[in-house]
Amino acid sequence: MLSAVFGEVSLFQMAAVPHYMPTVPTRTSVEEQVLQANNLFYRAFEMSDIGAMMAVWHPEWAHVMCVHPARAPAVGAEAVMATWRSIFKAKAERGRPLTIRLTDVRVKGLERSSDAGGEGESRSRTAWVTCEEVINDTTRVLATNIFQCDDAGKWWMVHHQGSMIIGAKD
């Protein structure tokens, strides 16, 4: 759990250090790569950078999905990016900065799948990150972010889902 080692991490602070990635001795390099991809997603989110957001999502856009709290699922590139444009526009209209702190960050999965021919060669890996997003110190969202690794070793987001957390934290 990242927050247990480093406390809560502000993504705004991370943006000031372009290659920020805390090294946790128990993490593997693959886990660090997934966390880096996750951090790039949240940096794009916090900075309302649609270009950076597009660079995080998998280029085979047909299968990507994004589910924001209290919204219908957005499937495919156009629909997913439309949701982010809408969120970024609303943020700009409010005229106040967005801060996101992540807590209880966990990486799971990291499974390899074989190719369709059944020869056992690795063609992709899938991992997911679960975390709590604390937005502007008032709103708490439980998030699941799913990533796929391509043959070149780049981790791409293929799914983001956020669910509001109502009530006091245990």
Side-chain angles (χ1 to χ4, degrees), residues 43-121:
R43 186 174 301 136
F45 185 2
E46 188 172 57
M47 303 307 285
S48 297
D49 185 335
I50 196 67
M53 183 62 75
M54 290 174 73
V56 171
W57 287 84
H58 196 285
E60 294 177 13
W61 294 93
H63 71 282
V64 299
M65 178 184 283
C66 188
V67 184
H68 297 290
R71 291 192 187 188
V75 180
E78 202 170 302
V80 168
M81 287 304 123
T83 67
W84 289 110
R85 284 186 185 92
S86 172
I87 288 169
F88 296 165
K89 181 181 177 188
K91 175 190 162 200
E93 289 171 355
R94 283 193 300 274
R96 63 178 192 244
L98 175 69
T99 60
I100 304 171
R101 285 183 294 116
L102 300 181
T103 63
D104 199 19
V105 177
R106 301 168 191 241
V107 179
K108 301 288 182 189
L110 306 174
E111 298 296 324
R112 291 186 175 275
S113 62
S114 10
D115 63 0
E119 297 174 14
E121 291 182 24

Side-chain angles (χ1 to χ4, degrees), residues 8-67:
E8 294 178 341
V9 179
S10 166
L11 292 169
F12 184 73
Q13 292 168 336
M14 289 169 41
V17 182
H19 299 289
Y20 173 81
M21 173 51 73
T23 302
V24 180
T26 59
R27 298 240 188 247
T28 67
S29 62
V30 173
E31 287 173 307
E32 289 173 352
Q33 292 170 16
V34 173
L35 286 173
Q36 177 73 25
N38 196 63
N39 288 342
L40 290 172
F41 166 72
Y42 282 105
R43 186 174 301 136
F45 185 2
E46 188 172 57
M47 303 307 285
S48 297
D49 185 335
I50 196 67
M53 183 62 75
M54 290 174 73
V56 171
W57 287 84
H58 196 285
E60 294 177 13
W61 294 93
H63 71 282
V64 299
M65 178 184 283
C66 188
V67 184

